[in-house]
């Protein structure tokens, strides 16, 4: 989707749709001049991008003060860290509930030159989750990194501190300055973050509207996070719900019918650039036979390409593709013969996970000339990080196109799917309400646990008193009967309150009523849920850090 940018200047009034960072920044003209606000054309939801590492100077100062205090504390001192939290910021945390945040860069906000520096290979996603959750204010995390986007989803104890810590982590691991990341990133919180992921899973936020491959990539996030400390209830619930939304949108609308993927758009682009608009006489080479490469090969076959060379690390994947496309002459070559194959190719598609370029300018300069009907060798690079150096296009004998160049193909197919996108958004809003109700209902979980523990302490204490008064002559059978009686009484007393603290949307109680029941129970039994939950969160983080 296209983005239009509205620059916030002077004394401009912040719109209600803007998140906390934007409204805070508008308090002074000086800070307002540092904020750019990006609106998606589809709705009023805002993508807030800042030209600096922090939106709120006051919050940054508090964070720095805490950082200085932490420096004076001995590392690994759990009690001092918890005490520091209690004395300096506990009230702030309990007033500011944990937030779901997405911090990302995608094809709408950053060029491939920027995105490739921050790209995270799929194999590293589990380790990244662990690393993010060691940050002071991050409880849960997930990573979605594809050729069109690099997005980090977190549950943060504090919005401002969470964004600051994740951005600094991104800078440290990628080598990209915080200021550059902040210039291109977008930030979305809670309901807006969830809506964004649902739109991503449905294919509404893709370069190619309605593309199907992104749903498989969202599924891979869940697969990669299974069993990883930090991919916990809220984040996993968010991604699982997004998968359901993506499936439902594709089932109930025709958004995917006639749509193209990145791979098919790459094939279309190459077809547009060939002089005779045909693959019949062009010598085609595909580097990489993974998910993207396989789709490229299939689309090439569909466009009439009857012969192609595939370079891949292993032969098994290429053989499997050959079995599917028996009418196409597919020749496998190992990576060691890549340059020799490139010298004999007119059109080269690259789609590998290599973190460094496979084709350098000097390498391409040495390749033999292309077929007579072509003036320059055509490279279609749909990898992020890129597989072909940009400067290859400086040569008179070659031209390079990357994923950002696919807009030319996509524009021709976009208009007829806008109505389908509107239908999809109606489904997304319906599913968003369900997810928000589920997320809000999680607030009652700590109260349920603490009330159960409260009743259990009373039951166990009274049982012990009863048995001690009865002396040693009581039989095992009698002890069991008394124990069962105490458990039965406790469970029957718990049943009513527990029913009124649970919310699944299937009864007549509203979420507001359930949350009011929770607050009433906290008051009546002095459960101190918020403070206690905060302490539990900090203890969990300290335990993770010590492992």
């Amino acid at each position: 989707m296209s983005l239009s940018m509205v620059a916030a200047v002077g004394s401009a009034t912040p719109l209600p749709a803007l998140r906390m960072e934007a409204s805070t920044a508008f308090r002074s003209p000086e800070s307002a001049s540092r904020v750019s606000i990006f609106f998606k054309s589809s709705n009023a939801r805002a993508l807030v991008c800042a030209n600096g590492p922090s939106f709120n100077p006051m919050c940054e100062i508090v964070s720095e003060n805490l950082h200085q205090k932490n420096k004076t504390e001995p590392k690994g001192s759990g009690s001092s860290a918890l005490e520091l939290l209690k004395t300096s910021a506990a009230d702030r945390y309990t007033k500011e509930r944990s937030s779901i945040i997405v911090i990302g860069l995608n094809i709408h906000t950053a060029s491939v030159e920027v995105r490739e520096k921050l790209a995270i290979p799929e194999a590293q996603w589990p380790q990244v989750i662990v690393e993010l959750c060691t940050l002071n204010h991050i409880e849960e995390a997930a990573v979605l990194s594809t050729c069109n986007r690099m997005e980090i989803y977190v549950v943060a104890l504090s919005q401002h501190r969470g964004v600051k810590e994740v951005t600094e982590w991104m800078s440290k691991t990628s080598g990209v300055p915080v200021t550059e990341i902040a210039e291109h990133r977008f930030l979305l919180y809670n309901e807006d973050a969830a809506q964004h992921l649902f739109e991503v899973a449905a294919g509404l936020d893709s370069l190619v509207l309605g593309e199907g491959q992104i749903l498989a990539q969202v599924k891979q996030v869940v697969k990669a996070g299974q069993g990883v400390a930090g991919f916990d209830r809220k984040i996993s619930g968010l991604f699982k719900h997004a998968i359901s939304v993506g499936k439902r949108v594709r089932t109930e609308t025709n958004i995917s019918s006639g749509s193209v993927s990145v791979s098919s758009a790459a094939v279309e682009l190459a077809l547009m650039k060939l002089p005779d608009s045909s693959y019949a006489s062009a010598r085609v080479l595909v580097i990489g036979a993974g998910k993207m490469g396989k789709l490229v090969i299939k689309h090439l076959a569909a466009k009439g390409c009857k012969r192609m060379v595939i370079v891949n690390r292993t032969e098994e994947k290429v053989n499997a593709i050959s079995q599917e496309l028996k009418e196409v002459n597919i020749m496998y070559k190992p990576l060691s013969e890549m340059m020799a194959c490139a010298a004999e190719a007119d059109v080269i598609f690259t789609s590998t996970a290599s973190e460094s370029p496979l084709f350098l300018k000097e390498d391409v300069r040495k390749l033999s000339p292309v077929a007579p009907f072509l003036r320059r060798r055509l490279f279609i690079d749909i990898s992020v990080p890129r597989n072909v150096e940009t400067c290859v296009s400086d040569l008179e004998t070659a031209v390079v196109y990357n994923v950002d160049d696919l807009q030319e193909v996509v524009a021709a197919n976009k208009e007829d799917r806008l109505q389908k996108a509107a239908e999809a958004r109606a489904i997304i809003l319906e599913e968003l309400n369900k997810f928000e109700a589920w997320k809000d209902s999680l607030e009652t979980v700590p109260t349920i646990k603490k009330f159960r523990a409260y009743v259990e302490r009373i039951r166990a204490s009274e049982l012990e008193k009863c048995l001690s008064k009865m002396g040693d002559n009581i039989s095992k059978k009698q002890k069991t009967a008394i124990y069962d009686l105490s458990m039965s009484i406790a469970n029957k007393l718990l049943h009513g309150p527990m029913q009124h603290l649970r919310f699944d949307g299937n009864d007549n109680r509203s979420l507001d009523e359930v949350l009011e029941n929770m607050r009433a129970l906290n008051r009546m039994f002095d459960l101190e849920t918020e403070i206690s939950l905060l302490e539990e969160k900090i203890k969990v983080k300290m335990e993770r850090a010590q492992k």
Side-chain angles (χ1 to χ4, degrees):
M1 298 177 191
S2 62
L3 294 172
S4 58
M5 182 180 75
V6 181
V9 294
S11 59
T13 304
L15 300 175
L18 299 184
R19 302 284 68 83
M20 188 179 298
E21 280 75 4
S23 60
T24 304
F26 275 96
R27 289 176 183 167
S28 69
E30 189 175 276
S31 60
S33 65
R34 297 171 54 241
V35 178
S36 300
I37 303 159
F38 293 87
F39 289 93
K40 287 190 175 182
S41 58
S42 58
N43 53 33
R45 207 158 41 85
L47 297 182
V48 182
C49 304
N51 294 327
S54 174
F55 293 100
N56 190 333
M58 290 301 296
C59 188
E60 190 172 73
I61 292 170
V62 171
S63 180
E64 290 300 319
N65 288 340
L66 287 175
H67 180 63
Q68 293 297 326
K69 289 184 180 182
N70 281 331
K71 283 184 177 179
T72 62
E73 297 290 349
K75 288 186 177 180
S77 174
S79 59
S80 61
L82 187 58
E83 193 60 35
L84 173 64
L85 179 70
K86 288 180 180 178
T87 56
S88 65
D91 61 327
R92 293 189 184 97
Y93 279 103
T94 53
K95 290 174 183 175
E96 182 182 3
R97 292 165 49 194
S98 292
S99 299
I100 294 178
I101 307 173
V102 55
I103 304 164
L105 300 90
N106 61 25
I107 198 166
H108 307 302
T109 67
S111 66
V112 66
E113 287 86 357
V114 176
R115 299 197 310 274
E116 68 182 356
K117 296 175 186 176
L118 293 144
I120 301 173
E122 189 177 299
Q124 295 178 19
W125 291 359
Q127 180 57 34
V128 168
I129 293 172
V130 174
E131 288 183 19
L132 288 170
C133 290
T134 62
L135 301 176
N136 289 337
H137 299 89
I138 304 303
E139 298 178 86
E140 303 180 33
V143 179
L144 176 60
S145 184
T146 72
C147 60
N148 286 334
R149 68 188 69 251
M150 202 296 284
E151 299 175 357
I152 292 178
Y153 292 78
V154 296
V155 173
L157 289 168
S158 163
Q159 285 187 358
H160 297 290
R161 296 177 181 89
V163 169
K164 187 173 187 292
E165 288 175 357
V166 173
T167 304
E168 289 173 348
W169 177 89
M170 292 167 67
S171 176
K172 181 180 178 181
T173 55
S174 67
V176 179
V178 167
T179 51
E180 185 176 349
I181 294 174
E183 181 181 352
H184 296 285
R185 75 184 176 190
F186 66 85
L187 303 171
L188 294 169
Y189 303 98
N190 297 316
E191 186 173 347
D192 289 334
Q195 182 175 343
H196 172 73
L197 181 58
F198 293 173
E199 290 178 356
V200 168
L204 299 189
D205 195 63
S206 299
L207 171 67
V208 180
L209 190 65
E211 68 141 320
Q213 191 173 2
I214 186 62
L215 182 58
Q217 291 162 333
V218 173
K219 290 178 181 178
Q220 193 59 35
V221 173
V222 175
K223 184 177 179 181
Q226 293 298 322
V228 179
F231 190 76
D232 296 328
R233 191 166 188 177
K234 283 186 180 178
I235 288 293
S236 66
L238 172 64
F239 273 83
K240 288 174 182 176
H241 204 113
I243 293 169
S244 298
V245 172
K247 289 179 178 178
R248 185 182 168 194
V249 166
R250 286 169 173 80
T251 300
E252 298 181 21
T253 73
N254 294 321
I255 195 168
S256 295
S257 63
S259 68
V260 292
S261 65
V262 169
S263 299
S264 65
V267 172
E268 290 284 352
L269 179 63
L271 193 61
M272 289 167 59
K273 301 302 178 182
L274 287 171
D276 58 357
S277 298
S278 172
Y279 288 111
S281 55
R283 297 172 296 176
V284 177
L285 170 64
V286 179
I287 313 292
K291 295 174 184 176
M292 298 279 279
K294 182 178 180 180
L295 288 173
V296 166
I297 296 165
K298 287 187 173 182
H299 288 298
L300 282 168
K303 292 295 180 180
C305 183
K306 298 300 182 183
R307 184 180 183 278
M308 65 188 85
V309 178
I310 314 298
V311 170
N312 196 54
R313 285 184 302 174
T314 60
E315 191 173 359
E316 287 77 13
K317 288 185 177 180
V318 178
N319 288 339
I321 297 171
S322 297
Q323 290 300 313
E324 289 186 48
L325 305 173
K326 294 182 179 180
E327 72 282 4
V328 180
N329 181 7
I330 294 177
M331 184 181 301
Y332 164 76
K333 293 291 183 181
L335 279 174
S336 59
E337 298 182 29
M338 182 181 71
M339 284 302 168
C341 294
E344 298 177 359
D346 302 316
V347 182
I348 301 173
F349 293 88
T350 62
S351 59
T352 79
S354 174
E355 296 185 27
S356 57
L358 300 178
F359 291 95
L360 305 178
K361 183 177 180 180
E362 290 307 309
D363 297 329
V364 177
R365 189 196 304 273
K366 298 173 184 177
L367 297 179
S368 57
V370 294
F373 69 92
L374 285 176
R375 188 169 66 87
R376 296 195 290 179
R377 181 172 276 107
L378 186 62
F379 287 89
I380 308 291
D381 183 7
I382 55 174
S383 305
V384 178
R386 288 169 293 177
N387 289 166
V388 185
E389 276 191 325
T390 307
C391 58
V392 167
S393 285
D394 296 339
L395 299 172
E396 294 183 358
T397 57
V399 61
V400 181
Y401 295 96
N402 58 52
V403 288
D404 287 1
D405 297 314
L406 300 181
Q407 304 262 14
E408 185 178 346
V409 177
V410 173
N413 299 294
K414 193 169 184 177
E415 289 301 321
D416 63 345
R417 289 196 299 278
L418 291 180
Q419 180 58 42
K420 299 169 186 174
E423 297 171 10
R425 286 193 185 90
I427 294 173
I428 287 172
L429 290 177
E430 181 183 330
E431 291 293 335
L432 185 63
N433 290 332
K434 292 180 183 178
F435 174 76
E436 287 298 310
W438 172 81
K439 181 166 67 72
D440 288 341
S441 72
L442 296 181
E443 279 193 62
T444 65
V445 173
T447 298
I448 290 173
K449 289 181 178 179
K450 290 189 176 298
F451 188 54
R452 280 189 176 278
Y454 174 83
V455 172
E456 173 58 22
R457 285 195 299 272
I458 295 175
R459 184 203 66 78
S461 174
E462 294 303 313
L463 175 63
E464 185 178 354
K465 289 179 185 177
C466 175
L467 294 176
S468 64
K469 289 179 181 179
M470 298 182 73
D472 299 330
N473 294 327
I474 186 172
S475 68
K476 184 176 180 180
K477 184 176 181 180
Q478 290 172 316
K479 285 183 179 180
T480 300
I482 296 171
Y483 171 81
D484 291 344
L485 175 65
S486 70
M487 289 295 295
S488 178
I489 292 172
N491 288 334
K492 282 182 169 57
L493 289 173
L494 280 168
H495 179 73
M498 294 301 100
Q499 287 293 102
H500 286 79
L501 286 180
R502 291 193 174 95
F503 178 82
D504 57 13
N506 294 324
D507 52 32
N508 294 325
R509 285 193 305 277
S510 67
L511 180 61
D512 288 341
E513 182 182 346
V514 172
L515 296 178
E516 181 52 41
N517 291 338
M518 177 193 76
R519 289 187 280 270
L521 206 62
N522 283 332
R523 290 193 300 270
M524 285 188 289
F525 295 95
D526 194 25
L527 299 178
E528 296 184 343
T529 305
E530 288 184 335
I531 298 295
S532 300
L533 180 59
L534 172 65
E535 294 178 7
E536 288 176 8
K537 288 178 178 178
I538 299 303
K539 286 176 181 177
V540 167
K541 289 191 67 62
M542 289 190 296
E543 288 172 0
R544 282 180 180 170
Q546 291 169 0
K547 288 182 180 179

